[in-house]
Amino acid sequence: MGGSQSREDLELSDSDTEGQEEEETEEEENYQDVSNETPEKSSSTGRNRPKTPSSLDEVESKLKALKLKYPSTTTRTQQSPNSNFKNGVKLYLHIGGNTPKAKWVSSEKLTSYSFIKTSKINAQDEEEDSESESEGVSWWVLKVSTKIRAKVAVEMQLKTLKEQRRVDFVADGVWAIKFFSDEDYKVFNSKYQECLFENTFGYESNEANKVKVYGKDFVGWANPEKADDSMWEDAEDDFLKSPGSVTPVRGNQDLQEEFEEAANGGIQSLALGALDNSFLVGNSGIQVVKNFSHGIHGKGAYVNFGSGNHRSASNSVHSTPKKALLMRAETNMLLMSPMNEGKLHSTGLHQLDIETGKIITEWRFEKGGTDITMRDIANDSKGAQLDPSGSTFLGLDDNRLCRWDMRDRHGIVQNLATANTPVLNWTQGHQFSRGTNFQCFASTGDGSIVVGSRDGKIRLYSGNSMRQAKTAFPGLGSPITHVDVTFDGKWILGTTDTYLILICTLFTDKDGKMKTGFNGRMGNRIAAPRLLKLTPLDSHLAGVNNKFQKAQFSWVTENGKQERHLVATAGKFSAIWNFQQVKNGSHECYRNQEGLKSCYCYKVVLKDDSIVDSRFMHDKFAVSDSPEAPLVIATPMKVSSFSISSRR
C-alpha cells in the first residue's frame, strides 16, 4: 500500500512542431504511477494504462531523437515567451475522466493568469485591477485566460509540483498550469497562499495576522519550516519499538475483495463489533451480520424499526438513526435519531436489546429538569463497548460536553418497566456559554476526549475534567466534521470536506518527560500537522458528493498496539493511507513541498455508488499473512469486505 495513486503527478510533454495543425499539436500526458496500480473497482481488476516516460529527461531525449524543433532548457529559460508576457503560462486540461482514454491535452500554449479581488466571482466580463477592492464583501479570484475564474479556496484542491514548475487544481474540470521559470512558479505560489489566507480568515496575510489567527504557540502551523518536527521522528521510533509493529509494513501490499453482499436496502452506517457480530444500520432496521477473519457476511437476524418490537407505539424509532453505539459487551445498542430530517440534534435515544431484537426503552436528555438536545454520542473509551457492565457514555451538543449515566443518581439501575420515559442522569460535564460550536468527538483508550469544532479548532480534554481543554489546536479554516484518535492518544485525525488533518499530541514537559496534550499543556514545542489529500484529479473523479467523510484509524483496543492505516470516504472512493508512511518525514511525497506537508500516497477502492461508510474491523481479526484487519465498505445497497494482502 505504499504507492501513490496519483495519476497526474507526471511530466506534461511539449512536442510542438512547426507548421502542424492545432489538433495535431495537442500535448498529452501519459500516466506514471509509482505503485503502478489503479483504483480498484468492486469485482474488477482495474484499468490498463500505457507505459509512460519516467522523467522529463527521458521525454526530452525521445523528442530530440525525433529531430523536432526543440530548444535547450537554458535557451527556453533565457528566451521564454514569459519574458515579454506578464504572468505567462501554459494551460492544460484533463479529459476522458476515469476511462482508459483519459489524458492531458494542451488548452492554451501561451496565456496569462491574474489574481483579482472582486465581489462577482462568477462574472465573466468584469475587468478589475488585481489590487483593487470592490465595495462590500469581496474575494480573491484566480483568473486564467477566459476559461477559468475560480475563488481561491481549499475547494480548488491545488497541488504543487515544484520540479515540474507546475500546479494542478479543480475548477469545473481538472486543470494544470506550467510556468516558464522557477521564479514564475515561486511568484504564483506566494500570491496564491496570500490570497488563500485572506479569503479563509478575512485578514491580510502577514506575520502579525498569522499570530492573531494561530496563536504564538502555533507558529509552526503558519510557518511549517519553523516547526519542531522532532516529535514526529520520536513517535516513529516509538512505533518501530511497539509490539504491534513486528509485521513490517510492505510497499507491495494490496487490497483483495473477500466478500460482497446485497443489503436489505438503505444502509446509513456501520456498527462494527469486536466479538461475534457487526451491524448494518439502515432506513428501516438493523441487519445483523457475522464477523470473520476475512470480513463480514452471512445475514442473521433483522430488527425492523416499524415491527412493533418496542415497549409502546410512542417509543418507536421515528426516523433513521444517525448514530448507533454498541454497549454492554455488544449486547445492547443505543440509537439516536434526529428530531427533524436534516437536523442532527436529538432530544433522546432508544436502547435496543440485540439478543431479543426489541427496543427496551426510550431515554430522554434532561439537565436540571429541562429537556436538552445532543448532536452526538460516543463510548467512554475506545474499548468501552466490550465492558459487560457499562452504563455510561459521552454526549456532545453545540455548546455541551458531558457524560450520561443510565442509572439513577444513587447508582441504582432504573426500573424501566415502571418508569415514564426514563431520564438519563447528567453525571459530569459542562455547558459552555457560547461560541464553541462543537461538531464531533471521540475518546482514547483511557477515556480522554478530543472534540472538533465548526471553526476548525480541535480541543483535548482529560477524562477527569470537561470544563477546560488541556490543549486547543487552532483551525486551518475548514470545519471539522468528524474526528478520531489513536488508542494511546498520541495522534488525532480530523476530517474536513477537502482534506484530513493529522496532529501529533506529543510534547516534552519541563522535567523532560514525554506527555500528550490530553494531560498537560503543550507550550510552544508543538509539531506542525500533516494533511492527507486526494489529488485534484481523484477529487474530481470521486463524484459530485466528493467531500471527505468519517476518516478513521484502524481499530485497536490494547495498550502497546499501534494503528497501521487510516481510511476515509469521498464520494465513490474509499482512500486508505499507510499510517507509518504518512509519519515518515523523508517520504518521497513530501519532497520539494512548501507549507504544511501533504500526503497524496494512498490506495483507492472505487465503487459504482456513493460510499456511506468505510471502517477497519477490530485488530483481533487480522490474520497471520496480513498486517491489518479487513476493511469493510458500505454503499446504500451493498457491503464489501477487503483484506490487505502481500502480493508476490
Side-chain angles (χ1 to χ4, degrees):
M1 293 187 62
S4 167
Q5 280 298 126
S6 299
R7 295 177 299 284
E8 56 187 348
D9 301 356
L10 314 168
E11 316 297 342
L12 295 171
S13 60
D14 298 322
S15 56
D16 301 342
T17 57
E18 204 169 12
Q20 286 182 314
E21 296 295 325
E22 183 174 348
E23 61 266 25
E24 291 178 279
T25 59
E26 285 188 341
E27 300 161 28
E28 71 178 70
E29 174 186 9
N30 291 325
Y31 302 139
Q32 170 194 16
D33 190 327
V34 174
S35 67
N36 198 29
E37 305 204 15
T38 61
E40 299 180 34
K41 199 167 186 175
S42 61
S43 71
S44 72
T45 57
R47 302 188 302 276
N48 294 322
R49 280 184 275 180
K51 186 177 180 181
T52 67
S54 60
S55 69
L56 182 59
D57 291 339
E58 187 178 341
V59 174
E60 291 186 350
S61 63
K62 288 184 177 182
L63 291 172
K64 286 177 180 178
L66 294 174
K67 299 181 180 180
L68 301 177
K69 182 180 178 181
Y70 195 82
S72 68
T73 302
T74 304
T75 304
R76 288 204 312 271
T77 302
Q78 293 174 346
Q79 300 178 357
S80 156
N82 190 41
S83 60
N84 298 313
F85 196 64
K86 184 179 179 182
N87 296 338
V89 294
K90 294 181 180 180
L91 180 64
Y92 298 83
L93 174 65
H94 190 274
I95 63 172
N98 209 20
T99 69
K101 295 183 178 180
K103 62 181 180 179
W104 289 97
V105 297
S106 173
S107 179
E108 294 196 31
K109 298 173 190 174
L110 180 60
T111 186
S112 65
Y113 74 86
S114 60
F115 289 98
I116 299 170
K117 195 163 191 183
T118 176
S119 59
K120 301 178 181 178
I121 294 174
N122 297 318
Q124 296 297 321
D125 57 353
E126 182 179 9
E127 295 295 334
E128 294 188 41
D129 186 84
S130 61
E131 300 301 324
S132 67
E133 292 195 24
S134 304
E135 294 182 4
V137 179
S138 57
W139 312 93
W140 284 105
V141 168
L142 171 63
K143 183 179 178 183
V144 186
S145 181
T146 58
K147 298 181 179 179
I148 298 171
R149 188 184 182 98
K151 178 184 174 183
V152 176
V154 290
E155 286 75 16
M156 288 182 66
Q157 298 281 8
L158 186 131
K159 180 183 180 183
T160 60
L161 296 93
K162 185 176 182 179
E163 291 181 345
Q164 299 182 42
R165 300 195 301 268
R166 168 184 166 194
V167 296
D168 296 1
F169 57 92
V170 177
D172 292 328
V174 184
W175 303 85
I177 294 175
K178 286 199 74 173
F179 301 89
F180 292 102
S181 71
D182 292 341
E183 183 62 24
D184 293 344
Y185 169 87
K186 183 178 179 181
V187 168
F188 174 91
N189 279 305
S190 177
K191 184 63 177 177
Y192 177 87
Q193 292 300 328
E194 291 175 2
C195 294
L196 180 62
F197 183 89
E198 188 170 339
N199 278 359
T200 301
F201 299 108
Y203 299 110
E204 182 183 346
S205 178
N206 56 47
E207 290 304 312
N209 285 334
K210 287 179 180 179
V211 171
K212 182 186 296 185
V213 168
Y214 297 112
K216 59 182 177 61
D217 289 338
F218 294 89
V219 64
W221 293 49
N223 301 300
E225 63 279 1
K226 298 179 181 178
D228 179 10
D229 266 1
S230 62
M231 289 303 163
W232 289 85
E233 297 167 9
D234 292 343
E236 179 67 13
D237 292 341
D238 186 58
F239 173 84
L240 294 174
K241 296 174 185 175
S242 70
S245 63
V246 175
T247 304
V249 180
R250 303 178 180 86
N252 63 345
Q253 289 163 1
D254 202 3
L255 288 167
Q256 178 179 340
E257 186 168 15
E258 301 286 352
F259 305 121
E260 180 180 83
E261 283 196 13
N264 285 353
I267 298 177
Q268 294 290 320
S269 64
L270 296 170
L272 297 186
L275 301 176
D276 294 333
N277 299 314
S278 286
F279 308 88
L280 312 179
V281 182
N283 290 331
S284 58
I286 296 174
Q287 177 71 62
V288 182
V289 290
K290 285 285 187 182
N291 290 335
F292 295 94
S293 59
H294 290 288
I296 64 172
H297 81 126
K299 295 179 181 177
Y302 185 83
V303 179
N304 193 324
F305 295 147
S307 65
N309 288 333
H310 40 72
R311 291 174 58 240
S312 67
S314 62
N315 289 336
S316 62
V317 180
H318 50 78
S319 64
T320 302
K322 297 301 181 186
K323 185 73 176 188
L325 195 69
L326 288 167
M327 290 190 68
R328 296 180 176 173
E330 300 179 358
T331 61
N332 278 228
M333 182 184 290
L334 300 182
L335 300 169
M336 192 168 76
S337 303
M339 293 183 293
N340 302 299
E341 287 299 326
K343 301 256 183 177
L344 293 176
H345 303 77
S346 176
T347 56
L349 48 79
H350 296 78
Q351 183 178 353
L352 171 70
D353 185 317
I354 294 171
E355 294 177 343
T356 63
K358 294 182 178 181
I359 301 246
I360 56 177
T361 194
E362 179 180 4
W363 294 98
R364 196 169 78 247
F365 297 124
E366 182 184 291
K367 184 177 186 294
T370 303
D371 288 345
I372 62 173
T373 61
M374 291 279 113
R375 67 177 296 132
D376 201 1
I377 54 175
N379 290 113
D380 282 334
S381 66
K382 279 279 186 185
Q385 71 186 58
L386 301 176
D387 181 0
S389 61
S391 294
T392 61
F393 61 94
L394 301 171
L396 185 79
D397 204 26
D398 295 358
N399 299 305
R400 300 184 185 101
L401 175 62
C402 66
R403 192 183 314 277
W404 295 105
D405 196 332
M406 291 185 285
R407 299 166 296 188
D408 69 12
R409 296 184 184 279
H410 303 289
I412 302 172
V413 177
Q414 299 190 53
N415 187 342
L416 303 181
T418 60
N420 183 18
T421 312
V423 176
L424 290 161
N425 179 27
W426 172 298
T427 60
Q428 181 187 4
H430 188 67
Q431 183 163 313
F432 300 86
S433 57
R434 63 173 66 127
T436 53
N437 291 317
F438 294 151
Q439 295 277 98
C440 49
F441 69 152
S443 55
T444 66
D446 67 2
S448 299
I449 305 164
V450 55
V451 183
S453 301
R454 193 178 306 155
D455 60 3
K457 288 184 179 179
I458 293 178
R459 296 172 173 88
L460 310 186
Y461 296 86
S462 70
N464 300 323
S465 175
M466 301 180 186
R467 179 175 292 273
Q468 186 173 8
K470 290 287 188 180
T471 302
F473 295 103
L476 297 179
S478 299
I480 303 296
T481 60
H482 188 272
V483 70
D484 195 18
V485 61
T486 55
F487 184 83
D488 58 18
K490 294 178 181 178
W491 306 94
I492 294 167
L493 182 62
T495 305
T496 76
D497 288 349
T498 54
Y499 59 85
L500 311 179
I501 179 170
L502 181 65
I503 298 172
C504 178
T505 70
L506 292 171
F507 74 101
T508 304
D509 68 9
K510 61 183 180 181
D511 297 323
K513 296 179 180 178
M514 186 171 287
K515 295 182 177 180
T516 72
F518 289 101
N519 49 35
R521 299 202 174 277
M522 298 181 70
N524 58 8
R525 288 201 68 208
I526 299 172
R530 292 186 182 169
L531 306 182
L532 286 70
K533 298 180 179 179
L534 294 182
T535 63
L537 179 56
D538 279 345
S539 175
H540 186 67
L541 296 179
V544 292
N545 300 315
N546 63 350
K547 296 178 180 178
F548 271 129
Q549 296 183 58
K550 302 178 182 178
Q552 304 269 353
F553 291 104
S554 50
W555 186 16
V556 300
T557 57
E558 185 179 334
N559 278 318
K561 287 202 170 183
Q562 179 66 61
E563 294 81 356
R564 296 179 172 278
H565 295 91
L566 312 94
V567 62
T569 293
K572 298 179 180 180
F573 283 6
S574 274
I576 303 100
W577 280 265
N578 180 313
F579 190 17
Q580 184 178 356
Q581 188 178 74
V582 173
K583 290 186 287 186
N584 180 5
S586 60
H587 173 51
E588 63 187 63
C589 214
Y590 302 136
R591 292 174 191 165
N592 297 317
Q593 284 194 4
E594 299 174 9
L596 294 174
K597 290 180 179 178
S598 298
C599 184
Y600 293 93
C601 291
Y602 48 83
K603 184 77 69 176
V604 161
V605 175
L606 172 63
K607 288 291 185 178
D608 293 325
D609 201 357
S610 288
I611 297 170
V612 297
D613 212 348
S614 302
R615 291 173 181 260
F616 283 99
M617 294 179 68
H618 190 273
D619 180 66
K620 67 179 275 187
F621 293 106
V623 293
S624 58
D625 62 345
S626 173
E628 186 63 271
L631 173 67
V632 180
I633 297 177
T635 65
M637 302 306 295
K638 293 181 180 179
V639 60
S640 306
S641 299
F642 293 82
S643 63
I644 297 175
S645 59
S646 297
R647 295 176 304 168
R648 290 170 174 77

